[in-house]
Amino acid sequence: MLDRLQIIKQRFDEVSDLIIQPDVIADQKRYVQLNKEYKDLKQLVEKRAEYVNLRGNMDEANEILADGSDAEMVEMAKMQLDEAKGRLPELEEEIKFLLIPKDPEDAKNVMVEVRAGTGGDEASIFAGDLFRMYTKYCEGRGWRTSVVDVNEGTSGGYKEVIFEVTGEDVYGTLKYEAGVHRVQRVPQTETQGRVHTSAATVMVLPEAEEFDVQIDMNDVRIDFFCSSGPGGQSVNTTKSAVRMTHIPTGLVAQCQDEKSQHKNKDKALTVLRSRLYEMELAKKQAEDATKRSSQVSSGDRSAKIRTYNYPQGRVTDHRIGLTLYDLDGVMNGNIQKVIDELQLVSNTEKLKEGDVY
């Protein structure tokens, strides 16, 4: 392990030197990539320093115990050795997981699209509940959310809501949320008190930077139209909403959240770029899925991943068989435990496959 960590330390020193070079700073794409690598390697280098220090303490304690001439020193050495032996296995596990290379997309911001599925009005209400759950979770993480486009349901909630999340390691955290979410409860519109099952689909798209996806604007048709929904008198009189169609792929992105046509155009372009990037990423994930059958892959959008059962106050993630009896907490944004378990399973699978630095 020390040999591997030494190689990483050398690379960290090299990257530390590179990111202050003027020619690297001038090359935005390379500068961004090296900064991400610096941040990832920094954690490993800090753990390496602790590991080296711990092994040094153990060697020193063993020398004192072998000498045995000073009773007080021997007692202190025993305590030092016990402490180091207790920490070492834990530290080695932490290092093993840090040695798993991160996907380059993990550090990206995301576009989250929540769409009502089967279940009519109840599905729209559930999509609204999921949107609230995610915004509360993001707020707790110190991430910023910004609505890009909404299509409201007839009885509350949303037929579709698209929002942007910006922060640290957003895609690496939220990518596990992609898939079909089911809810089992008595709908507000149900008069007989029967439990219904409805669904909503969540898509998590890594936000593409300009150098990730090059869009030829000659391939894009831009339409302007009046916004719909609440927002004052200007909503139905000003053509501030923007719809973009990428002609080669048929992908469509629109934004009507801002009053400014220019801001809506920028946001719609960001969504379009992310969808194009996600298309390429989906192909790569499909190829990866043939190589490894990960149960927590974020590639299959049609997979039923989670059920929220209101009568039993239960949330079950079907990919890892995790059940929590904390439905209220989860719906109020406390989903970190689920994400932690999914990340642990994913990392354990990678470790088994020897997917490390």
Side-chain angles (χ1 to χ4, degrees):
M1 184 178 278
L2 262 177
D3 290 342
R4 194 179 292 164
L5 289 173
Q6 185 54 35
I7 293 166
I8 286 163
K9 171 76 166 61
Q10 287 168 358
R11 175 59 184 164
F12 177 74
D13 292 340
E14 187 184 331
V15 172
S16 303
D17 184 52
L18 281 169
I19 57 174
I20 59 170
Q21 301 299 324
D23 59 325
V24 172
I25 294 167
D27 183 346
Q28 269 299 293
K29 184 176 181 178
R30 192 172 177 218
Y31 182 68
V32 168
Q33 287 169 341
L34 284 170
N35 259 304
K36 286 174 184 172
E37 188 181 355
Y38 175 86
K39 195 182 79 175
D40 291 342
L41 294 176
K42 189 170 186 282
Q43 277 184 291
L44 267 166
V45 169
E46 285 170 356
K47 294 289 181 189
R48 174 194 171 276
E50 187 184 350
Y51 186 79
V52 169
N53 187 48
L54 214 55
R55 293 302 294 258
N57 288 348
M58 288 175 74
D59 291 343
E60 185 185 33
N62 282 322
E63 281 176 23
I64 293 167
L65 290 172
D67 179 78
S69 58
D70 187 327
E72 194 176 327
M73 287 292 284
V74 165
E75 200 56 42
M76 284 175 67
K78 279 180 183 174
M79 286 172 62
Q80 186 171 298
L81 194 61
D82 288 345
E83 192 181 308
K85 280 182 176 175
R87 172 65 180 140
L88 196 64
E90 191 181 290
L91 182 60
E92 284 176 343
E93 281 300 303
E94 289 171 14
I95 290 169
K96 275 182 195 172
F97 282 114
L98 283 172
L99 283 169
I100 299 166
K102 285 188 178 181
D103 291 335
E105 289 80 23
D106 282 359
K108 290 183 182 293
N109 297 325
V110 300
M111 289 286 173
V112 180
E113 304 184 2
V114 182
R115 290 193 181 92
T118 51
D121 287 343
E122 171 62 9
S124 296
I125 292 165
F126 178 52
D129 292 341
L130 287 177
F131 170 63
R132 179 176 171 273
M133 177 182 85
Y134 289 129
T135 50
K136 279 188 165 291
Y137 172 70
C138 292
E139 190 182 302
R141 290 287 302 252
W143 295 341
R144 184 173 164 271
T145 58
S146 169
V147 173
V148 173
D149 194 31
V150 293
N151 183 1
E152 293 183 358
T154 51
S155 300
Y158 303 100
K159 289 178 183 173
E160 177 185 57
V161 56
I162 301 171
F163 60 102
E164 181 183 30
V165 184
T166 55
E168 194 170 311
D169 292 327
V170 179
Y171 182 67
T173 306
L174 289 180
K175 65 182 178 183
Y176 301 106
E177 293 302 300
V180 177
H181 296 241
R182 286 194 320 173
V183 63
Q184 294 171 333
R185 65 185 176 191
V186 179
Q188 297 168 12
T189 51
E190 169 61 55
T191 53
Q192 305 293 319
R194 290 172 300 191
V195 173
H196 286 229
T197 299
S198 307
T201 302
V202 176
M203 283 180 64
V204 182
L205 318 180
E207 193 171 293
E209 283 98 350
E210 281 186 48
F211 48 74
D212 288 325
V213 177
Q214 297 294 328
I215 296 178
D216 184 347
M217 293 310 289
N218 293 321
D219 291 337
V220 179
R221 188 179 75 240
I222 303 175
D223 301 306
F224 301 101
F225 60 99
C226 296
S227 297
S228 59
Q233 291 181 331
S234 65
V235 165
N236 296 313
T237 57
T238 309
K239 289 193 174 183
S240 60
V242 177
R243 183 182 296 112
M244 289 186 173
T245 306
H246 188 249
I247 297 161
T249 60
L251 285 174
V252 178
Q254 71 177 43
C255 180
Q256 57 177 336
D257 190 57
E258 304 283 350
K259 288 179 182 174
S260 154
Q261 188 185 90
H262 180 70
K263 284 182 181 176
N264 281 332
K265 190 177 174 184
D266 285 347
K267 276 193 174 183
L269 184 59
T270 302
V271 175
L272 185 62
R273 191 181 288 120
S274 295
R275 286 187 179 160
L276 283 166
Y277 185 64
E278 197 264 348
M279 265 181 70
E280 292 306 310
L281 193 60
K283 286 179 196 170
K284 180 180 175 292
Q285 285 174 336
E287 286 167 14
D288 290 348
T290 58
K291 295 175 195 168
R292 50 193 286 249
S293 54
S294 171
Q295 64 202 82
V296 293
S297 165
S298 54
D300 189 357
R301 304 172 190 172
S302 61
K304 178 187 75 181
I305 63 165
R306 198 173 298 149
T307 296
Y308 305 76
N309 184 296
Y310 275 70
Q312 296 174 20
R314 165 175 63 81
V315 177
T316 300
D317 195 287
H318 305 290
R319 293 164 292 182
I320 53 175
L322 175 70
T323 296
L324 299 176
Y325 288 91
D326 181 26
L327 180 67
D328 287 345
V330 167
M331 297 313 291
N332 276 303
N334 298 330
I335 59 173
Q336 191 60 54
K337 181 169 174 52
V338 184
I339 289 170
D340 286 345
E341 291 294 324
L342 288 162
Q343 286 178 327
L344 181 63
V345 169
S346 178
N347 285 338
T348 304
E349 285 174 354
K350 287 178 182 174
L351 267 181
K352 283 178 187 171
E353 292 162 14
D355 189 4
V356 294
Y357 277 112

